[in-house]
mmCIF file of all heavy atoms in Angstrom:
data_model
loop_
_atom_site.group_PDB
_atom_site.id
_atom_site.type_symbol
_atom_site.label_atom_id
_atom_site.label_comp_id
_atom_site.label_asym_id
_atom_site.label_seq_id
_atom_site.Cartn_x
_atom_site.Cartn_y
_atom_site.Cartn_z
ATOM 1 N N GLU A 1 9.974 15.243 -48.707
ATOM 2 C CA GLU A 1 8.813 15.918 -48.136
ATOM 3 C C GLU A 1 7.742 16.161 -49.199
ATOM 4 O O GLU A 1 6.555 15.992 -48.962
ATOM 5 C CB GLU A 1 9.240 17.247 -47.509
ATOM 6 C CG GLU A 1 10.072 17.088 -46.243
ATOM 7 C CD GLU A 1 10.493 18.433 -45.671
ATOM 8 O OE1 GLU A 1 10.107 19.467 -46.259
ATOM 9 O OE2 GLU A 1 11.199 18.449 -44.648
ATOM 10 N N LEU A 2 8.212 16.551 -50.403
ATOM 11 C CA LEU A 2 7.269 16.775 -51.497
ATOM 12 C C LEU A 2 6.586 15.472 -51.904
ATOM 13 O O LEU A 2 5.378 15.448 -52.183
ATOM 14 C CB LEU A 2 8.005 17.381 -52.697
ATOM 15 C CG LEU A 2 8.388 18.853 -52.572
ATOM 16 C CD1 LEU A 2 9.251 19.270 -53.766
ATOM 17 C CD2 LEU A 2 7.147 19.740 -52.501
ATOM 18 N N ASP A 3 7.350 14.387 -51.963
ATOM 19 C CA ASP A 3 6.774 13.083 -52.300
ATOM 20 C C ASP A 3 5.724 12.677 -51.285
ATOM 21 O O ASP A 3 4.649 12.170 -51.638
ATOM 22 C CB ASP A 3 7.867 12.011 -52.367
ATOM 23 C CG ASP A 3 8.716 12.140 -53.626
ATOM 24 O OD1 ASP A 3 8.251 12.797 -54.573
ATOM 25 O OD2 ASP A 3 9.834 11.590 -53.644
ATOM 26 N N PHE A 4 6.049 12.893 -49.999
ATOM 27 C CA PHE A 4 5.112 12.545 -48.929
ATOM 28 C C PHE A 4 3.841 13.376 -49.051
ATOM 29 O O PHE A 4 2.717 12.854 -48.942
ATOM 30 C CB PHE A 4 5.777 12.791 -47.566
ATOM 31 C CG PHE A 4 4.895 12.459 -46.401
ATOM 32 C CD1 PHE A 4 4.676 11.139 -46.021
ATOM 33 C CD2 PHE A 4 4.271 13.468 -45.672
ATOM 34 C CE1 PHE A 4 3.856 10.832 -44.941
ATOM 35 C CE2 PHE A 4 3.456 13.175 -44.596
ATOM 36 C CZ PHE A 4 3.243 11.855 -44.234
ATOM 37 N N ALA A 5 4.023 14.690 -49.289
ATOM 38 C CA ALA A 5 2.871 15.578 -49.432
ATOM 39 C C ALA A 5 2.040 15.200 -50.658
ATOM 40 O O ALA A 5 0.803 15.218 -50.622
ATOM 41 C CB ALA A 5 3.336 17.029 -49.541
ATOM 42 N N THR A 6 2.723 14.838 -51.743
ATOM 43 C CA THR A 6 2.020 14.426 -52.961
ATOM 44 C C THR A 6 1.213 13.160 -52.729
ATOM 45 O O THR A 6 0.068 13.037 -53.188
ATOM 46 C CB THR A 6 3.028 14.192 -54.104
ATOM 47 O OG1 THR A 6 3.757 15.403 -54.329
ATOM 48 C CG2 THR A 6 2.320 13.782 -55.380
ATOM 49 N N ASP A 7 1.827 12.196 -52.023
ATOM 50 C CA ASP A 7 1.115 10.948 -51.704
ATOM 51 C C ASP A 7 -0.136 11.237 -50.885
ATOM 52 O O ASP A 7 -1.200 10.652 -51.119
ATOM 53 C CB ASP A 7 2.030 9.989 -50.944
ATOM 54 C CG ASP A 7 3.115 9.407 -51.832
ATOM 55 O OD1 ASP A 7 2.946 9.461 -53.070
ATOM 56 O OD2 ASP A 7 4.125 8.909 -51.305
ATOM 57 N N LYS A 8 -0.002 12.135 -49.902
ATOM 58 C CA LYS A 8 -1.148 12.492 -49.059
ATOM 59 C C LYS A 8 -2.259 13.122 -49.894
ATOM 60 O O LYS A 8 -3.437 12.799 -49.739
ATOM 61 C CB LYS A 8 -0.717 13.458 -47.953
ATOM 62 C CG LYS A 8 0.043 12.816 -46.808
ATOM 63 C CD LYS A 8 -0.895 11.933 -45.990
ATOM 64 C CE LYS A 8 -0.181 11.372 -44.768
ATOM 65 N NZ LYS A 8 -1.078 10.485 -43.962
ATOM 66 N N LEU A 9 -1.873 14.043 -50.755
ATOM 67 C CA LEU A 9 -2.853 14.714 -51.606
ATOM 68 C C LEU A 9 -3.517 13.718 -52.564
ATOM 69 O O LEU A 9 -4.727 13.784 -52.803
ATOM 70 C CB LEU A 9 -2.178 15.832 -52.408
ATOM 71 C CG LEU A 9 -1.806 17.095 -51.623
ATOM 72 C CD1 LEU A 9 -0.989 18.043 -52.502
ATOM 73 C CD2 LEU A 9 -3.057 17.803 -51.101
ATOM 74 N N THR A 10 -2.703 12.799 -53.088
ATOM 75 C CA THR A 10 -3.248 11.787 -53.997
ATOM 76 C C THR A 10 -4.253 10.895 -53.283
ATOM 77 O O THR A 10 -5.330 10.584 -53.819
ATOM 78 C CB THR A 10 -2.111 10.916 -54.571
ATOM 79 O OG1 THR A 10 -1.183 11.752 -55.270
ATOM 80 C CG2 THR A 10 -2.669 9.865 -55.524
ATOM 81 N N GLN A 11 -3.916 10.487 -52.052
ATOM 82 C CA GLN A 11 -4.824 9.658 -51.271
ATOM 83 C C GLN A 11 -6.131 10.386 -50.989
ATOM 84 O O GLN A 11 -7.221 9.812 -51.088
ATOM 85 C CB GLN A 11 -4.150 9.238 -49.958
ATOM 86 C CG GLN A 11 -3.012 8.246 -50.140
ATOM 87 C CD GLN A 11 -2.268 7.976 -48.839
ATOM 88 O OE1 GLN A 11 -2.690 8.416 -47.774
ATOM 89 N NE2 GLN A 11 -1.168 7.256 -48.934
ATOM 90 N N LYS A 12 -6.005 11.673 -50.604
ATOM 91 C CA LYS A 12 -7.212 12.463 -50.333
ATOM 92 C C LYS A 12 -8.056 12.612 -51.591
ATOM 93 O O LYS A 12 -9.279 12.518 -51.547
ATOM 94 C CB LYS A 12 -6.818 13.844 -49.792
ATOM 95 C CG LYS A 12 -6.287 13.834 -48.368
ATOM 96 C CD LYS A 12 -5.979 15.241 -47.892
ATOM 97 C CE LYS A 12 -5.471 15.230 -46.453
ATOM 98 N NZ LYS A 12 -5.166 16.614 -45.971
ATOM 99 N N PHE A 13 -7.390 12.854 -52.716
ATOM 100 C CA PHE A 13 -8.098 13.009 -53.980
ATOM 101 C C PHE A 13 -8.836 11.720 -54.350
ATOM 102 O O PHE A 13 -9.995 11.754 -54.759
ATOM 103 C CB PHE A 13 -7.110 13.389 -55.077
ATOM 104 C CG PHE A 13 -7.745 13.508 -56.432
ATOM 105 C CD1 PHE A 13 -8.496 14.615 -56.769
ATOM 106 C CD2 PHE A 13 -7.594 12.493 -57.376
ATOM 107 C CE1 PHE A 13 -9.086 14.724 -58.016
ATOM 108 C CE2 PHE A 13 -8.183 12.593 -58.618
ATOM 109 C CZ PHE A 13 -8.929 13.708 -58.940
ATOM 110 N N GLU A 14 -8.137 10.584 -54.199
ATOM 111 C CA GLU A 14 -8.756 9.301 -54.527
ATOM 112 C C GLU A 14 -9.944 9.023 -53.611
ATOM 113 O O GLU A 14 -10.981 8.528 -54.059
ATOM 114 C CB GLU A 14 -7.721 8.178 -54.413
ATOM 115 C CG GLU A 14 -6.654 8.230 -55.498
ATOM 116 C CD GLU A 14 -5.599 7.164 -55.303
ATOM 117 O OE1 GLU A 14 -5.565 6.548 -54.222
ATOM 118 O OE2 GLU A 14 -4.786 6.955 -56.238
ATOM 119 N N TYR A 15 -9.780 9.357 -52.326
ATOM 120 C CA TYR A 15 -10.870 9.131 -51.367
ATOM 121 C C TYR A 15 -12.087 9.991 -51.730
ATOM 122 O O TYR A 15 -13.220 9.502 -51.776
ATOM 123 C CB TYR A 15 -10.401 9.476 -49.948
ATOM 124 C CG TYR A 15 -11.517 9.466 -48.929
ATOM 125 C CD1 TYR A 15 -12.007 8.262 -48.411
ATOM 126 C CD2 TYR A 15 -12.087 10.659 -48.482
ATOM 127 C CE1 TYR A 15 -13.031 8.256 -47.489
ATOM 128 C CE2 TYR A 15 -13.115 10.652 -47.557
ATOM 129 C CZ TYR A 15 -13.576 9.449 -47.062
ATOM 130 O OH TYR A 15 -14.607 9.455 -46.151
ATOM 131 N N HIS A 16 -11.842 11.277 -51.988
ATOM 132 C CA HIS A 16 -12.947 12.169 -52.342
ATOM 133 C C HIS A 16 -13.572 11.778 -53.676
ATOM 134 O O HIS A 16 -14.797 11.883 -53.846
ATOM 135 C CB HIS A 16 -12.464 13.623 -52.394
ATOM 136 C CG HIS A 16 -12.178 14.211 -51.042
ATOM 137 N ND1 HIS A 16 -13.135 14.274 -50.041
ATOM 138 C CD2 HIS A 16 -11.060 14.753 -50.509
ATOM 139 C CE1 HIS A 16 -12.611 14.842 -48.962
ATOM 140 N NE2 HIS A 16 -11.351 15.135 -49.229
ATOM 141 N N SER A 17 -12.757 11.314 -54.601
ATOM 142 C CA SER A 17 -13.275 10.874 -55.894
ATOM 143 C C SER A 17 -14.194 9.672 -55.719
ATOM 144 O O SER A 17 -15.271 9.606 -56.323
ATOM 145 C CB SER A 17 -12.124 10.517 -56.847
ATOM 146 O OG SER A 17 -11.338 11.647 -57.139
ATOM 147 N N LYS A 18 -13.749 8.710 -54.888
ATOM 148 C CA LYS A 18 -14.571 7.527 -54.632
ATOM 149 C C LYS A 18 -15.856 7.914 -53.912
ATOM 150 O O LYS A 18 -16.932 7.375 -54.200
ATOM 151 C CB LYS A 18 -13.779 6.511 -53.801
ATOM 152 C CG LYS A 18 -12.648 5.838 -54.560
ATOM 153 C CD LYS A 18 -11.887 4.870 -53.673
ATOM 154 C CE LYS A 18 -10.745 4.202 -54.436
ATOM 155 N NZ LYS A 18 -9.968 3.269 -53.565
ATOM 156 N N THR A 19 -15.728 8.842 -52.949
ATOM 157 C CA THR A 19 -16.908 9.280 -52.209
ATOM 158 C C THR A 19 -17.913 9.946 -53.138
ATOM 159 O O THR A 19 -19.120 9.670 -53.077
ATOM 160 C CB THR A 19 -16.510 10.269 -51.093
ATOM 161 O OG1 THR A 19 -15.592 9.617 -50.199
ATOM 162 C CG2 THR A 19 -17.728 10.726 -50.320
ATOM 163 N N LEU A 20 -17.413 10.827 -53.997
ATOM 164 C CA LEU A 20 -18.295 11.518 -54.937
ATOM 165 C C LEU A 20 -18.917 10.541 -55.924
ATOM 166 O O LEU A 20 -20.111 10.648 -56.250
ATOM 167 C CB LEU A 20 -17.504 12.595 -55.691
ATOM 168 C CG LEU A 20 -17.088 13.817 -54.871
ATOM 169 C CD1 LEU A 20 -16.163 14.717 -55.700
ATOM 170 C CD2 LEU A 20 -18.314 14.610 -54.415
ATOM 171 N N ALA A 21 -18.115 9.578 -56.380
ATOM 172 C CA ALA A 21 -18.630 8.584 -57.320
ATOM 173 C C ALA A 21 -19.703 7.731 -56.657
ATOM 174 O O ALA A 21 -20.741 7.424 -57.266
ATOM 175 C CB ALA A 21 -17.491 7.699 -57.829
ATOM 176 N N SER A 22 -19.455 7.347 -55.399
ATOM 177 C CA SER A 22 -20.429 6.553 -54.659
ATOM 178 C C SER A 22 -21.716 7.333 -54.443
ATOM 179 O O SER A 22 -22.822 6.799 -54.609
ATOM 180 C CB SER A 22 -19.837 6.132 -53.309
ATOM 181 O OG SER A 22 -20.794 5.431 -52.539
ATOM 182 N N GLN A 23 -21.588 8.609 -54.063
ATOM 183 C CA GLN A 23 -22.763 9.443 -53.845
ATOM 184 C C GLN A 23 -23.535 9.635 -55.146
ATOM 185 O O GLN A 23 -24.773 9.594 -55.157
ATOM 186 C CB GLN A 23 -22.342 10.808 -53.284
ATOM 187 C CG GLN A 23 -23.521 11.705 -52.922
ATOM 188 C CD GLN A 23 -24.398 11.099 -51.843
ATOM 189 O OE1 GLN A 23 -23.913 10.707 -50.792
ATOM 190 N NE2 GLN A 23 -25.690 10.991 -52.119
ATOM 191 N N ALA A 24 -22.811 9.830 -56.228
ATOM 192 C CA ALA A 24 -23.458 10.001 -57.528
ATOM 193 C C ALA A 24 -24.213 8.735 -57.928
ATOM 194 O O ALA A 24 -25.341 8.802 -58.445
ATOM 195 C CB ALA A 24 -22.419 10.353 -58.588
ATOM 196 N N ALA A 25 -23.595 7.567 -57.656
ATOM 197 C CA ALA A 25 -24.238 6.295 -57.986
ATOM 198 C C ALA A 25 -25.493 6.101 -57.141
ATOM 199 O O ALA A 25 -26.530 5.617 -57.635
ATOM 200 C CB ALA A 25 -23.266 5.142 -57.755
ATOM 201 N N GLN A 26 -25.429 6.474 -55.852
ATOM 202 C CA GLN A 26 -26.594 6.359 -54.982
ATOM 203 C C GLN A 26 -27.715 7.286 -55.442
ATOM 204 O O GLN A 26 -28.887 6.894 -55.466
ATOM 205 C CB GLN A 26 -26.199 6.682 -53.541
ATOM 206 C CG GLN A 26 -25.317 5.629 -52.887
ATOM 207 C CD GLN A 26 -24.915 6.009 -51.474
ATOM 208 O OE1 GLN A 26 -25.397 6.989 -50.927
ATOM 209 N NE2 GLN A 26 -24.012 5.233 -50.894
ATOM 210 N N ASP A 27 -27.349 8.513 -55.796
ATOM 211 C CA ASP A 27 -28.361 9.460 -56.281
ATOM 212 C C ASP A 27 -29.013 8.946 -57.565
ATOM 213 O O ASP A 27 -30.235 9.051 -57.741
ATOM 214 C CB ASP A 27 -27.715 10.824 -56.550
ATOM 215 C CG ASP A 27 -27.267 11.519 -55.267
ATOM 216 O OD1 ASP A 27 -27.725 11.108 -54.175
ATOM 217 O OD2 ASP A 27 -26.446 12.449 -55.347
ATOM 218 N N GLU A 28 -28.180 8.390 -58.439
ATOM 219 C CA GLU A 28 -28.706 7.842 -59.694
ATOM 220 C C GLU A 28 -29.626 6.657 -59.435
ATOM 221 O O GLU A 28 -30.672 6.509 -60.091
ATOM 222 C CB GLU A 28 -27.529 7.422 -60.587
ATOM 223 C CG GLU A 28 -27.947 6.970 -61.978
ATOM 224 C CD GLU A 28 -26.757 6.605 -62.856
ATOM 225 O OE1 GLU A 28 -25.645 7.061 -62.545
ATOM 226 O OE2 GLU A 28 -26.953 5.862 -63.838
ATOM 227 N N LEU A 29 -29.241 5.823 -58.460
ATOM 228 C CA LEU A 29 -30.066 4.665 -58.116
ATOM 229 C C LEU A 29 -31.419 5.101 -57.572
ATOM 230 O O LEU A 29 -32.467 4.586 -57.974
ATOM 231 C CB LEU A 29 -29.333 3.798 -57.087
ATOM 232 C CG LEU A 29 -30.089 2.575 -56.557
ATOM 233 C CD1 LEU A 29 -30.441 1.626 -57.698
ATOM 234 C CD2 LEU A 29 -29.250 1.853 -55.506
ATOM 235 N N TRP A 30 -31.405 6.074 -56.652
ATOM 236 C CA TRP A 30 -32.662 6.576 -56.087
ATOM 237 C C TRP A 30 -33.544 7.188 -57.166
ATOM 238 O O TRP A 30 -34.764 6.974 -57.198
ATOM 239 C CB TRP A 30 -32.378 7.598 -54.985
ATOM 240 C CG TRP A 30 -32.232 6.957 -53.646
ATOM 241 C CD1 TRP A 30 -31.078 6.634 -53.002
ATOM 242 C CD2 TRP A 30 -33.292 6.532 -52.786
ATOM 243 N NE1 TRP A 30 -31.350 6.041 -51.795
ATOM 244 C CE2 TRP A 30 -32.690 5.970 -51.635
ATOM 245 C CE3 TRP A 30 -34.673 6.580 -52.874
ATOM 246 C CZ2 TRP A 30 -33.438 5.451 -50.582
ATOM 247 C CZ3 TRP A 30 -35.435 6.066 -51.825
ATOM 248 C CH2 TRP A 30 -34.815 5.504 -50.696
ATOM 249 N N ALA A 31 -32.929 7.951 -58.052
ATOM 250 C CA ALA A 31 -33.694 8.568 -59.134
ATOM 251 C C ALA A 31 -34.337 7.501 -60.019
ATOM 252 O O ALA A 31 -35.498 7.630 -60.427
ATOM 253 C CB ALA A 31 -32.784 9.472 -59.969
ATOM 254 N N ALA A 32 -33.585 6.436 -60.288
ATOM 255 C CA ALA A 32 -34.103 5.355 -61.129
ATOM 256 C C ALA A 32 -35.253 4.626 -60.446
ATOM 257 O O ALA A 32 -36.259 4.292 -61.088
ATOM 258 C CB ALA A 32 -32.975 4.371 -61.460
ATOM 259 N N VAL A 33 -35.114 4.375 -59.144
ATOM 260 C CA VAL A 33 -36.168 3.678 -58.407
ATOM 261 C C VAL A 33 -37.455 4.497 -58.374
ATOM 262 O O VAL A 33 -38.557 3.980 -58.575
ATOM 263 C CB VAL A 33 -35.695 3.370 -56.966
ATOM 264 C CG1 VAL A 33 -36.865 2.891 -56.111
ATOM 265 C CG2 VAL A 33 -34.599 2.314 -56.988
ATOM 266 N N LEU A 34 -37.303 5.786 -58.135
ATOM 267 C CA LEU A 34 -38.476 6.651 -58.029
ATOM 268 C C LEU A 34 -39.123 6.921 -59.394
ATOM 269 O O LEU A 34 -40.290 7.316 -59.459
ATOM 270 C CB LEU A 34 -38.083 7.976 -57.374
ATOM 271 C CG LEU A 34 -37.622 7.875 -55.916
ATOM 272 C CD1 LEU A 34 -37.108 9.220 -55.426
ATOM 273 C CD2 LEU A 34 -38.746 7.368 -55.029
#
């Protein structure tokens, strides 16, 4: 159960990390264009 919960948390963390990284890259791109 702990392994399953850890996997879920890891997946959520990776997803949020990618989302934040993508958003940061988009913000940086917009700032550079402007």
Side-chain angles (χ1 to χ4, degrees):
E1 290 179 1
L2 285 173
D3 286 341
F4 180 76
T6 301
D7 289 341
K8 284 290 185 181
L9 286 173
T10 301
Q11 290 173 8
K12 288 182 179 180
F13 177 77
E14 290 176 348
Y15 172 78
H16 288 302
S17 296
K18 289 179 180 179
T19 301
L20 289 173
S22 176
Q23 185 61 52
Q26 290 178 7
D27 291 344
E28 186 178 339
L29 177 60
W30 271 98
V33 169
L34 295 173

